[in-house]
Amino acid sequence: MNRLSRLSLASRLILATLLVLAVTLPLAGIGLAQHFRTTATDAFDRQLEALLNVVIAGLAWDNVQQRLVQERNLGDPRFEQVFSGWYWQVSDGADRVLTSRSLWDQRLAVRESTGVVRHDMEGPRGAPLRVVERDIHLAPLEAPLHVSVAAPRETLDLELDRFSRLVALSLAGLGLLVLIMLALQVRWGLAPLRRMQADLVQVENGDAERLDTRLPAELARLAGATNAVLARDRRLMEHARHAAGNLAHALKTPVSVLTTLADGIEEPRRTRMRDELGRIDDAVRHHLARATAAGDVGLAPKVAVAEVLAPILDGLGRLAGRRGVKLEHSLADGLRVRMAHQDLQELVGNLLDNALRWANGHVRLEGLTGDDGIWLCVEDDGPGMDETQRGAAMARGSRLDERRSGNGLGLAIVADLVALHGGRLQLDASRLGGLSARVWLPARPLAEVPAAVD
């Protein structure tokens, strides 16, 4: 049932039509064959009845020879050919019998009847026959005479079989033609849906911002409603970014004031208050950074990594120079990723800032493609971390050395951003001797639009 529910619209239409044809065409074929069988049998019987009347019209009694005679020739040589299957017979049920030459020394079974009777029977040599017979009175005989005309059933059956084969082939051809025409009709009818699907993929890839509304009326309304939802979502995300930034600025001053006021408080309350304010500041920074980065993940366009990171690399390069640290970078040509500018800058900026803070004199950024996505690797020649420290560094707000500046949120924010975009973050030992932070980001968005239209 689950597999049927996932069928595409085209498959559903074709399957439904196939089921209808599988039921209606055989029924139509049976009906046509039965109607033709009835009509053909009736026509065959009428032909035999006409021959029966000819036999009756030529029948006479010879008073001289005291026997029955046939005064007319039926004009059909098949009645003269022995055991041809075409027979006529006149009998009173006793000794008086007159037959066609084709019967030779055989006789047809006599069946009493008041009117014309049509039926099948077995003839000479076991051949199936179609018989038309009736009783008549012939002067001067007192006993009724039974007159029969028979023809081979094979003649009628061959005609019926020919028609049945013709009907079967015709209906099969009709069914195939209907399926072909339906497939063409479905392809033409669902073409607007395929265009709409392609537009959705472009919007998802960031190559377009809205759907094309030049569609049939039903789909045009749907595309218009979708565009309205997309526009509203973009406005909400942009508003959320601005609100997060405004909130950060609004909280920054009160926290700074409270920190300054705490200096006038005696110990140990001063230390405790400064610790609590520090936790507040860390929590605010973490959640605001994540809220600012949690933008249009599914609708983000593909961006050139080198172009987006140029301002970050330029600013941090000058900072590294003042600290006496060499910052080098190597980004593969044409390196692109599906991510908002702010998210990519936030991610790489935090990695480089953390590396510069701990490096002794060398930091390196490398970007390359692989595994259906891109890899970004930031290495330093600092003290590095053991396995326990790497796990602790991923926790929000953790700080391995209270003597170093910084809020300790860099790697946690990076981990949140990577998870938000469906990527992976790995912390390992660096070839430079310190820490290596490797980030993999997928080339595709988190959710693909399924190919539901053929």
Side-chain angles (χ1 to χ4, degrees):
M1 186 65 182
N2 186 37
R3 184 176 299 178
L4 291 177
S5 64
R6 297 173 61 184
L7 286 176
S8 65
L9 292 178
S11 299
R12 289 168 182 259
L13 292 174
I14 293 177
L15 180 59
T17 304
L18 187 60
L19 292 176
V20 171
L21 292 178
V23 174
T24 58
L25 289 184
L27 291 178
I30 293 173
L32 287 174
Q34 185 61 36
H35 177 72
F36 181 79
R37 178 180 294 275
T38 302
T39 303
T41 302
D42 186 61
F44 194 73
D45 289 344
R46 286 198 300 270
Q47 180 184 1
L48 293 181
E49 189 174 350
L51 292 174
L52 178 68
N53 292 331
V54 173
V55 172
I56 294 173
L59 190 62
W61 173 256
D62 189 341
N63 287 321
V64 176
Q65 299 184 12
Q66 293 294 302
R67 66 185 182 87
L68 291 169
V69 295
Q70 179 58 250
E71 297 178 342
R72 292 188 180 183
N73 185 1
L74 270 65
D76 193 332
R78 291 175 295 185
F79 287 102
E80 302 297 326
Q81 182 180 351
V82 177
F83 300 138
S84 64
W86 291 82
Y87 312 116
W88 60 264
Q89 173 182 286
V90 180
S91 172
D92 64 355
D95 297 333
R96 295 188 180 96
V97 177
L98 181 64
T99 66
S100 61
R101 179 177 175 79
S102 57
L103 262 175
W104 195 244
D105 59 349
Q106 301 293 313
R107 296 293 180 267
L108 300 177
V110 176
R111 178 184 298 181
E112 294 183 3
S113 60
T114 56
V116 178
V117 177
R118 307 177 179 91
H119 64 91
D120 296 327
M121 66 177 295
E122 185 177 298
R125 299 184 176 182
L129 301 176
R130 183 69 179 173
V131 180
V132 176
E133 55 189 358
R134 63 172 296 186
D135 289 342
I136 65 170
H137 291 274
L138 181 65
L141 300 178
E142 296 182 359
L145 297 176
H146 189 79
V147 185
S148 305
V149 173
R153 176 77 195 192
E154 182 182 5
T155 304
L156 177 60
D157 291 339
L158 287 176
E159 187 175 358
L160 294 177
D161 291 342
R162 245 189 334 263
F163 180 80
S164 297
R165 286 194 299 270
L166 178 62
V167 168
L169 291 175
S170 299
L171 292 180
L174 176 63
L176 181 60
L177 180 62
V178 169
L179 286 178
I180 293 175
M181 295 302 296
L182 176 67
L184 295 176
Q185 179 182 356
V186 167
R187 182 170 182 80
W188 177 75
L190 296 183
L193 277 178
R194 288 194 297 273
R195 285 168 43 204
M196 191 173 182
Q197 182 186 24
D199 290 345
L200 283 172
V201 172
Q202 286 189 328
V203 171
E204 182 187 35
N205 292 342
D207 299 328
E209 293 186 354
R210 61 194 313 275
L211 303 180
D212 188 359
T213 56
R214 293 174 297 178
L215 297 167
E218 301 84 355
L219 295 180
R221 289 193 292 270
L222 176 60
T226 304
N227 288 335
V229 171
L230 291 173
R232 185 191 64 183
D233 287 346
R234 287 193 179 93
R235 288 195 301 270
L236 290 176
M237 287 184 289
E238 189 64 27
H239 177 73
R241 287 184 183 274
H242 288 303
N246 293 336
L247 182 58
H249 288 293
L251 292 174
K252 182 178 180 180
T253 300
V255 171
S256 299
V257 171
L258 288 174
T259 303
T260 303
L261 293 176
D263 293 338
I265 301 177
E266 297 179 355
E267 294 288 355
R269 295 175 61 191
R270 179 175 59 189
T271 301
R272 185 176 178 182
M273 181 172 289
R274 290 179 66 87
D275 290 342
E276 294 301 326
L277 288 173
R279 277 198 289 270
I280 292 174
D281 186 53
D282 288 347
V284 169
R285 287 175 181 273
H286 172 76
H287 289 293
L288 289 181
R290 184 171 183 181
T292 304
D296 48 348
V297 178
L299 303 178
K302 275 190 175 181
V303 296
V305 174
E307 180 180 341
V308 173
L309 295 182
I312 299 295
L313 294 174
D314 182 61
L316 291 179
R318 289 195 295 268
L319 176 62
R322 289 195 296 268
R323 293 181 179 179
V325 177
K326 177 183 178 183
L327 173 60
E328 62 177 357
H329 56 85
S330 174
L331 300 175
D333 294 336
L335 195 65
R336 300 175 69 85
V337 66
R338 194 183 309 282
M339 180 180 284
H341 292 68
Q342 301 95 321
D343 294 358
L344 182 58
Q345 291 174 349
E346 182 81 14
L347 188 153
V348 177
N350 275 285
L351 288 178
L352 290 176
D353 182 65
N354 185 75
L356 289 172
R357 186 177 300 116
W358 292 90
N360 292 324
H362 193 186
V363 173
R364 181 169 60 200
L365 167 65
E366 185 178 10
L368 49 87
T369 58
D371 300 335
D372 198 20
I374 71 166
W375 284 97
L376 296 173
C377 180
V378 176
E379 299 179 283
D380 63 67
D381 61 350
M385 299 180 184
D386 57 28
E387 187 173 350
T388 302
Q389 290 173 323
R390 292 170 196 161
M394 301 295 290
R396 176 173 60 85
S398 64
R399 290 171 61 177
L400 302 179
D401 189 346
E402 295 292 339
R403 296 170 297 174
R404 297 291 182 104
S405 61
N407 53 36
L409 296 172
L411 287 178
I413 293 175
V414 169
D416 287 342
L417 280 171
V418 170
L420 182 67
H421 289 82
R424 300 191 299 269
L425 172 62
Q426 300 174 0
L427 298 181
D428 298 299
S430 169
R431 292 168 294 181
L432 300 179
L435 180 67
S436 170
R438 302 179 72 240
V439 173
W440 176 82
L441 296 170
R444 302 175 185 174
L446 294 178
E448 293 288 349
V449 177
V453 180
D454 287 348

